Amino acid sequence: MLDKNKELVKRYYQEAMGGLSGIAEVVAADFVDHHFPPGTPAGPEGVRQFYTQILGSVFSDMQIEIDYLIAEGDKVDCHFALLAKHTGEFAGIPPKGIQIRCPAISTFRIEGGLLAEAWEIFDSGDLMQQLQA
């Protein structure tokens, strides 16, 4: 069961980086990611909006590099880094076309074989330092 949960999280990031066509097979209809901006819809539509309109308006050539996954009960922690090119304005910083690497940790809660909830922390200070360099 724990390996199946880890595979579900891997698939989430594959979908997020690969066009999102199968995201409804990975997240529940009422999926909530607590790090998405306020007003982001729940479920697959919210995931699509975040990765295409929000994150996708700032970065291009995005990739997720998973360092490792830890599973216990109905939760999976994913330690990863977002690799991307800065191609849109972010926090008043104009695009510079540079490659960034933003380490992060996401925790997912699984219910009924789908991702039901997520939380994320990332090194915002390091990201800002890279963008301002």
Side-chain angles (χ1 to χ4, degrees), residues 20 36-41 43-57:
L20 298 157
F36 287 178
T40 304
E45 185 52 37
V47 176
R48 284 187 199 98
Q49 182 177 324
F50 178 77
Y51 282 100
T52 59
Q53 296 172 15
I54 298 167
L55 201 58
S57 69

Side-chain angles (χ1 to χ4, degrees), residues 39-86:
T40 304
E45 185 52 37
V47 176
R48 284 187 199 98
Q49 182 177 324
F50 178 77
Y51 282 100
T52 59
Q53 296 172 15
I54 298 167
L55 201 58
S57 69
V58 176
F59 300 110
S60 64
D61 304 328
M62 292 184 289
Q63 297 175 20
I64 295 291
E65 184 179 86
I66 295 176
D67 295 322
Y68 58 92
L69 299 161
I70 301 169
E72 184 175 321
D74 65 348
K75 306 255 184 354
V76 175
D77 280 352
C78 181
H79 295 241
F80 69 97
L82 169 68
L83 309 171
K85 189 175 191 179
H86 179 213

Side-chain angles (χ1 to χ4, degrees), residues 13-36:
Y13 286 117
Q14 289 169 347
E15 289 294 335
M17 298 296 110
L20 298 157
S21 63
I23 199 66
E25 299 166 9
V26 179
V27 302
D30 58 351
F31 171 79
V32 173
D33 191 318
H34 297 282
H35 99 284
F36 287 178

